[in-house]
Each structure stands twice: as C-alpha cells, then as structure tokens.
Amino acid sequence: KAGVTQTPRYLIKTRGQQVTLSCSPISGHRSVSWYQQTPGQGLQFLFEYFSETQRNKGNFPGRFSGRQFSNSRSEMNVSTLELGDSALYLCASSFVGMNTEAFFGQGTRLTVV
Amino acid sequence: QQQVKQSPQSLIVQKGGISIINCAYENTAFDYFPWYQQFPGKGPALLIAIRPDVSEKKEGRFTISFNKSAKQFSLHIMDSQPGDSATYFCAAAERDQFYFGTGTSLTVIP
C-alpha cells in the first residue's frame, strides 16, 4: 500500500511569489492535515481537511490556504511568500479523523530567497 | 503559546541505556497522546500512542507513562540503540486537532 506522497520534494521561491504544494493521502484515507516544521518551533498545525471540508485551522495568516479534492488529494497554497515561510511542509493522512493513527509524507522543503 | 511542552531539547545516551523524554500539557480535553519518531529527510512516523484512561503502554523497548493528574506523559526507550538516534515528538490531540511538542534530538552513542 503506497504511503503519503508529497510533491515536489524541494522548492526554491522568491519573496512575494506564491507556491502550491500537493499531498496524495494513503488510499482510503479521507482526512489530510498540513504542518509547518521549522527548527525550534517543531511541528505547527496549519489545517485539516476531511471530505473536502476544512474542519480545523491553526493559527496561521490568511496567506496560507488549502483545499481537498473529491479523491482526497489536497493542495496547500502560500501567497506573497516571506523569508520566514522557509520550512519543511508536511502533510499527514488518517482514516477517519486525526485522533487515530496519522501517517506523514516526507514533506516538501520550501526555501524562500 | 505552546500547548505541549517537551523536554529535553537534546539527549545523549550510551548504548544499552534508558532514554527518557518528557511532555506536559494543560488542556484537559486532550484525549490522545502519540509519540512520533523522525529521521533526517523523512516525515515523522508514529511510534506509540496512549489514551488517558491508561497509565502505561509498552510496545517492545518503548513505553509511554501517563500521569493524568499531573498532566504529564513520558517516553522511555529501554536498551537504547544507535539506530534509535532520531528526533522524537510528543503530541496531544483534541477533536481531531494535533498539537506537537518542539521535539527532542536523541543521540545514542555506541
């Protein structure tokens, strides 16, 4: 059974640009969550989608948005990139909701220059 | 505000020793407490998890101890091995939203 797939693995963007990251969950998983990982801050929750609806949202500015498609694949968008957005972005999928085992992808390493 | 406080930030243990990582929380609504292990270049992987109606859970060399009244939980790695060298995250979940600790970098010296 394939794991959680995130694309691309690496990205370099310029300040002010926007970026879209993709996450394909494990087959059958309908919940997808996104996290930002930075040294010293650990894993910060961005948002969670279930059946194409955003159910939970972390404390990030509106420049961070996401969506989920009918096949459970999810995308995350960051507009007007700032240097501080440089981080590893991880998505996790789970079968029902997040209070069950969540499986992480390998992440997308975003560097903003 | 960090919902889950994790310590220590880094830990060095001799092979065969016991590694202990601690976490504390305030929100009594948390009802699921997993530990994740992350190797460089990889996403976190679930190691072991516990729910608050249990005080201890053991899986192989890994044990979670949970103290509901103190709002603390800890991960014990018995007979630590060099292959256990990784970053460990504790987490707490409420209504499908996870909060992670800041991570502990564990190094096991041969």
Side-chain angles (χ1 to χ4, degrees), chain A residues 78-91:
Chain A
V78 188
S79 62
T80 320
L81 283 165
E82 300 176 359
L83 294 178
D85 296 334
S86 295
L88 179 67
Y89 290 88
L90 291 158
C91 85

Side-chain angles (χ1 to χ4, degrees), chain A residues 29-81:
Chain A
H29 285 192
R30 294 165 63 192
S31 171
V32 174
S33 292
W34 289 89
Y35 295 86
Q36 181 193 67
Q37 185 175 24
T38 55
Q41 291 293 316
L43 286 151
Q44 303 287 316
F45 174 76
L46 280 152
F47 27 66
E48 185 235 352
Y49 285 87
F50 180 74
S51 294
E52 301 179 66
T53 301
Q54 187 183 89
R55 290 201 305 178
N56 291 299
K57 189 176 189 304
N59 199 22
F60 276 80
R63 300 185 295 107
F64 293 81
S65 62
R67 59 178 175 168
Q68 186 180 35
F69 302 95
S70 58
N71 62 357
S72 294
R73 190 177 71 85
S74 178
E75 287 182 348
M76 187 194 116
N77 185 77
V78 188
S79 62
T80 320
L81 283 165

